[in-house]
Amino acid sequence: GPLTFNSARFVVGFLTILPFALIFESKKIKLEISSKSKLFIKYLVFMGLSLFLGTFLQQAALQYTNIANAAFFTVFYVPIVPILLFFIYSKKVHWSIWPAIGLCILGVYLLSDFSNSEVMLGDGLVILCSVFWALHIIFAGKFMEEFNIPMFYAALQALFVATLSLIFSYIFEEINFSKILLESNSILYAGALSGGIAFTLQMFAQKNIEEAPAAIIYSLEGVFASIAGWLILSQFLTVSNIIGCFLILIAVISSQISPSIKS
């Protein structure tokens, strides 16, 4: 089940990142947290819940929708980020971000072959999932404005999500260790690389970039997934898919360059 998979995956993520956090950040951890412990716990809860709900809903939705729909609707976090930024923090983004967001969504539309799909039951779950991804991106940016212990935080975040997933998997799913062992390669891959390294790199990245452009950059995951599918799985890329990749790339570049140009 999705909860069991997430609990195993984020345990691996925690174990992957914790040694690096203790080696490189051990001297800073107490110093960073001691004066702002309540704020640290608040962000840990907010981001942990957002990541838990985002990953769980994404996994669960794939049982009721197809890959094209999931890829297209997940990217809705890109426009949701600036909207939530305005309502939560009264923060407006540069006007040029909105055309970049439009290009990004159009690119994902072409890349995911959504035009050949039908709206399905799981699509609502994917859209809800994108709200929590957006919240996670926003809180990651705000956390990195206050603290500079990205590896330690990423490890704690993985442990938080793993714990929540394990609790709910015991309630709602049947945990079968033999099946977990059968999927050990997928769990190790998803845990170490995405559950551990990728979310750690996200914390480092959002130290130096605004939340809305960060969301646009994260949409490149679709481009890399398509290229990996082409190289590793020999999946065919259509002309529309390639155009979609270029549109997303243009959106990313535009989101970085345009705000630096005077209005």
Side-chain angles (χ1 to χ4, degrees):
L3 288 164
T4 304
F5 178 81
N6 265 358
S7 60
R9 159 194 184 189
F10 279 101
V11 164
V12 173
F14 169 70
L15 294 175
T16 301
I17 298 304
L18 184 63
F20 294 99
L22 295 177
I23 292 170
F24 295 106
E25 294 179 347
S26 58
K27 295 180 180 178
K28 296 193 295 181
I29 292 171
K30 187 176 180 180
L31 186 64
E32 288 274 341
I33 297 176
S34 58
S35 60
K36 296 182 283 188
S37 58
K38 290 183 179 179
L39 185 63
F40 182 86
I41 293 171
K42 184 183 83 169
Y43 278 122
L44 179 61
V45 172
F46 284 173
M47 287 180 65
L49 282 173
S50 299
L51 184 57
F52 165 69
L53 290 169
T55 51
F56 165 65
L57 288 170
Q58 187 178 52
Q59 291 284 129
L62 287 172
Q63 299 175 87
Y64 307 104
T65 189
N66 56 43
I67 299 298
N69 288 35
F72 179 65
F73 285 116
T74 298
V75 85
F76 275 32
Y77 66 74
V78 177
I80 290 172
V81 164
I83 293 170
L84 290 179
L85 273 173
F86 178 76
F87 282 106
I88 298 174
Y89 294 102
S90 300
K91 182 178 178 180
K92 295 181 179 179
V93 299
H94 192 273
W95 66 266
S96 64
I97 293 297
W98 291 106
I101 288 173
L103 271 180
C104 176
I105 292 176
L106 178 59
V108 173
Y109 177 82
L110 295 172
L111 184 59
S112 65
D113 291 322
F114 178 74
S115 57
N116 298 324
S117 299
E118 297 179 358
V119 175
M120 302 176 72
L121 176 65
D123 297 339
L125 291 177
V126 180
I127 293 172
L128 185 58
C129 147
S130 69
V131 174
F132 291 111
W133 283 128
L135 286 169
H136 186 264
I137 291 169
I138 290 170
F139 292 138
K142 298 305 176 185
F143 176 87
M144 290 307 296
E145 290 177 6
E146 301 286 342
F147 301 95
N148 189 29
I149 43 175
M151 286 186 281
F152 179 70
Y153 182 80
L156 280 188
Q157 176 182 250
L159 181 62
F160 186 97
V161 177
T163 303
L164 277 182
S165 300
L166 185 61
I167 291 170
F168 284 102
S169 64
Y170 267 111
I171 298 171
F172 296 110
E173 296 177 356
E174 181 183 348
I175 299 177
N176 188 320
F177 288 101
S178 62
K179 290 183 179 179
I180 292 173
L181 291 174
L182 283 175
E183 300 299 331
S184 57
N185 288 339
S186 297
I187 291 169
L188 289 171
Y189 181 86
L193 295 183
S194 67
I197 295 171
F199 284 119
T200 305
L201 291 175
Q202 177 191 0
M203 302 304 296
F204 275 106
Q206 289 199 233
K207 181 74 174 175
N208 303 301
I209 190 171
E210 294 290 326
E211 294 87 355
I216 296 173
I217 292 172
Y218 293 147
S219 69
L220 279 170
E221 64 181 318
V223 176
F224 284 109
S226 296
I227 294 171
W230 173 50
L231 293 174
I232 299 171
L233 303 176
S234 300
Q235 293 178 347
F236 182 71
L237 286 177
T238 66
V239 174
S240 294
N241 298 151
I242 295 170
I243 292 172
C245 289
F246 277 107
L247 288 178
I248 295 171
L249 186 59
I250 292 169
V252 169
I253 295 170
S254 172
S255 72
Q256 299 303 300
I257 295 176
S258 298
S260 64
I261 302 172
K262 292 183 179 180
S263 302

